mmCIF file of all heavy atoms in Angstrom:
data_model
loop_
_atom_site.group_PDB
_atom_site.id
_atom_site.type_symbol
_atom_site.label_atom_id
_atom_site.label_comp_id
_atom_site.label_asym_id
_atom_site.label_seq_id
_atom_site.Cartn_x
_atom_site.Cartn_y
_atom_site.Cartn_z
ATOM 1 N N LYS A 507 45.619 -29.124 1.940
ATOM 2 C CA LYS A 507 45.549 -30.588 1.893
ATOM 3 C C LYS A 507 44.144 -31.043 1.500
ATOM 4 O O LYS A 507 43.980 -31.858 0.595
ATOM 5 C CB LYS A 507 45.926 -31.156 3.263
ATOM 6 C CG LYS A 507 45.765 -32.651 3.377
ATOM 7 C CD LYS A 507 46.058 -33.114 4.799
ATOM 8 C CE LYS A 507 45.685 -34.553 4.991
ATOM 9 N NZ LYS A 507 45.853 -34.979 6.375
ATOM 10 N N TYR A 508 43.130 -30.509 2.168
ATOM 11 C CA TYR A 508 41.751 -30.908 1.876
ATOM 12 C C TYR A 508 41.307 -30.449 0.493
ATOM 13 O O TYR A 508 40.600 -31.171 -0.209
ATOM 14 C CB TYR A 508 40.801 -30.383 2.943
ATOM 15 C CG TYR A 508 40.948 -31.063 4.287
ATOM 16 C CD1 TYR A 508 40.545 -30.420 5.447
ATOM 17 C CD2 TYR A 508 41.475 -32.348 4.404
ATOM 18 C CE1 TYR A 508 40.658 -31.038 6.689
ATOM 19 C CE2 TYR A 508 41.596 -32.959 5.636
ATOM 20 C CZ TYR A 508 41.188 -32.308 6.775
ATOM 21 O OH TYR A 508 41.300 -32.918 7.996
ATOM 22 N N LEU A 509 41.721 -29.252 0.097
ATOM 23 C CA LEU A 509 41.356 -28.749 -1.227
ATOM 24 C C LEU A 509 41.919 -29.653 -2.318
ATOM 25 O O LEU A 509 41.215 -30.029 -3.259
ATOM 26 C CB LEU A 509 41.851 -27.311 -1.403
ATOM 27 C CG LEU A 509 41.551 -26.652 -2.739
ATOM 28 C CD1 LEU A 509 40.053 -26.617 -3.021
ATOM 29 C CD2 LEU A 509 42.132 -25.241 -2.771
ATOM 30 N N LEU A 510 43.167 -30.045 -2.184
ATOM 31 C CA LEU A 510 43.769 -30.931 -3.179
ATOM 32 C C LEU A 510 43.115 -32.313 -3.175
ATOM 33 O O LEU A 510 42.950 -32.932 -4.234
ATOM 34 C CB LEU A 510 45.283 -31.045 -2.963
ATOM 35 C CG LEU A 510 46.066 -29.765 -3.281
ATOM 36 C CD1 LEU A 510 47.527 -29.927 -2.896
ATOM 37 C CD2 LEU A 510 45.920 -29.379 -4.743
ATOM 38 N N MET A 511 42.703 -32.789 -1.996
ATOM 39 C CA MET A 511 41.985 -34.064 -1.929
ATOM 40 C C MET A 511 40.662 -33.982 -2.677
ATOM 41 O O MET A 511 40.326 -34.862 -3.480
ATOM 42 C CB MET A 511 41.737 -34.467 -0.474
ATOM 43 C CG MET A 511 42.967 -34.970 0.251
ATOM 44 S SD MET A 511 42.674 -35.236 2.033
ATOM 45 C CE MET A 511 41.415 -36.487 2.018
ATOM 46 N N VAL A 512 39.900 -32.911 -2.425
ATOM 47 C CA VAL A 512 38.596 -32.734 -3.066
ATOM 48 C C VAL A 512 38.779 -32.606 -4.575
ATOM 49 O O VAL A 512 38.056 -33.237 -5.355
ATOM 50 C CB VAL A 512 37.853 -31.504 -2.488
ATOM 51 C CG1 VAL A 512 36.647 -31.142 -3.334
ATOM 52 C CG2 VAL A 512 37.443 -31.766 -1.051
ATOM 53 N N LEU A 513 39.735 -31.805 -4.996
ATOM 54 C CA LEU A 513 39.953 -31.613 -6.430
ATOM 55 C C LEU A 513 40.410 -32.904 -7.112
ATOM 56 O O LEU A 513 39.968 -33.213 -8.217
ATOM 57 C CB LEU A 513 40.957 -30.490 -6.666
ATOM 58 C CG LEU A 513 40.494 -29.102 -6.230
ATOM 59 C CD1 LEU A 513 41.624 -28.097 -6.357
ATOM 60 C CD2 LEU A 513 39.284 -28.662 -7.027
ATOM 61 N N GLY A 514 41.270 -33.651 -6.445
ATOM 62 C CA GLY A 514 41.728 -34.914 -7.009
ATOM 63 C C GLY A 514 40.601 -35.919 -7.153
ATOM 64 O O GLY A 514 40.461 -36.578 -8.194
ATOM 65 N N ARG A 515 39.786 -36.028 -6.131
ATOM 66 C CA ARG A 515 38.661 -36.967 -6.190
ATOM 67 C C ARG A 515 37.620 -36.511 -7.205
ATOM 68 O O ARG A 515 37.007 -37.334 -7.894
ATOM 69 C CB ARG A 515 38.049 -37.136 -4.802
ATOM 70 C CG ARG A 515 38.982 -37.878 -3.865
ATOM 71 C CD ARG A 515 38.484 -37.933 -2.453
ATOM 72 N NE ARG A 515 39.441 -38.653 -1.617
ATOM 73 C CZ ARG A 515 39.375 -38.704 -0.304
ATOM 74 N NH1 ARG A 515 38.393 -38.104 0.342
ATOM 75 N NH2 ARG A 515 40.287 -39.367 0.372
ATOM 76 N N SER A 516 37.416 -35.204 -7.317
ATOM 77 C CA SER A 516 36.468 -34.678 -8.301
ATOM 78 C C SER A 516 36.958 -34.963 -9.720
ATOM 79 O O SER A 516 36.170 -35.354 -10.585
ATOM 80 C CB SER A 516 36.287 -33.170 -8.109
ATOM 81 O OG SER A 516 35.735 -32.896 -6.854
ATOM 82 N N ALA A 517 38.246 -34.774 -9.948
ATOM 83 C CA ALA A 517 38.813 -35.063 -11.271
ATOM 84 C C ALA A 517 38.673 -36.549 -11.593
ATOM 85 O O ALA A 517 38.331 -36.920 -12.726
ATOM 86 C CB ALA A 517 40.278 -34.629 -11.327
ATOM 87 N N SER A 518 38.898 -37.406 -10.605
ATOM 88 C CA SER A 518 38.737 -38.848 -10.817
ATOM 89 C C SER A 518 37.293 -39.194 -11.143
ATOM 90 O O SER A 518 37.015 -40.030 -12.008
ATOM 91 C CB SER A 518 39.170 -39.626 -9.574
ATOM 92 O OG SER A 518 40.543 -39.464 -9.350
ATOM 93 N N ALA A 519 36.352 -38.546 -10.457
ATOM 94 C CA ALA A 519 34.931 -38.792 -10.720
ATOM 95 C C ALA A 519 34.561 -38.359 -12.135
ATOM 96 O O ALA A 519 33.840 -39.069 -12.844
ATOM 97 C CB ALA A 519 34.069 -38.056 -9.695
ATOM 98 N N LEU A 520 35.070 -37.210 -12.567
ATOM 99 C CA LEU A 520 34.792 -36.744 -13.927
ATOM 100 C C LEU A 520 35.386 -37.693 -14.965
ATOM 101 O O LEU A 520 34.754 -37.982 -15.983
ATOM 102 C CB LEU A 520 35.328 -35.325 -14.126
ATOM 103 C CG LEU A 520 34.607 -34.233 -13.351
ATOM 104 C CD1 LEU A 520 35.340 -32.905 -13.487
ATOM 105 C CD2 LEU A 520 33.166 -34.105 -13.809
ATOM 106 N N ASP A 521 36.590 -38.168 -14.709
ATOM 107 C CA ASP A 521 37.197 -39.162 -15.603
ATOM 108 C C ASP A 521 36.327 -40.404 -15.694
ATOM 109 O O ASP A 521 36.090 -40.937 -16.783
ATOM 110 C CB ASP A 521 38.589 -39.571 -15.100
ATOM 111 C CG ASP A 521 39.663 -38.559 -15.443
ATOM 112 O OD1 ASP A 521 39.450 -37.722 -16.345
ATOM 113 O OD2 ASP A 521 40.732 -38.622 -14.801
ATOM 114 N N ALA A 522 35.845 -40.891 -14.555
ATOM 115 C CA ALA A 522 35.026 -42.105 -14.526
ATOM 116 C C ALA A 522 33.711 -41.903 -15.271
ATOM 117 O O ALA A 522 33.260 -42.789 -16.009
ATOM 118 C CB ALA A 522 34.766 -42.534 -13.082
ATOM 119 N N VAL A 523 33.091 -40.744 -15.106
ATOM 120 C CA VAL A 523 31.843 -40.445 -15.808
ATOM 121 C C VAL A 523 32.093 -40.440 -17.311
ATOM 122 O O VAL A 523 31.351 -41.059 -18.087
ATOM 123 C CB VAL A 523 31.244 -39.092 -15.345
ATOM 124 C CG1 VAL A 523 30.123 -38.639 -16.268
ATOM 125 C CG2 VAL A 523 30.744 -39.199 -13.914
ATOM 126 N N GLY A 524 33.118 -39.758 -17.735
ATOM 127 C CA GLY A 524 33.442 -39.700 -19.162
ATOM 128 C C GLY A 524 33.764 -41.065 -19.728
ATOM 129 O O GLY A 524 33.250 -41.449 -20.786
ATOM 130 N N ASP A 525 34.589 -41.827 -19.012
ATOM 131 C CA ASP A 525 34.949 -43.171 -19.470
ATOM 132 C C ASP A 525 33.720 -44.068 -19.549
ATOM 133 O O ASP A 525 33.551 -44.827 -20.503
ATOM 134 C CB ASP A 525 35.990 -43.802 -18.542
ATOM 135 C CG ASP A 525 37.348 -43.111 -18.625
ATOM 136 O OD1 ASP A 525 37.562 -42.305 -19.554
ATOM 137 O OD2 ASP A 525 38.185 -43.371 -17.733
#
Side-chain angles (χ1 to χ4, degrees):
K507 175 184 171 185
Y508 290 156
L509 180 58
L510 291 174
M511 286 173 62
V512 168
L513 295 173
R515 291 174 180 170
S516 297
S518 295
L520 291 173
D521 281 342
V523 168
D525 292 348

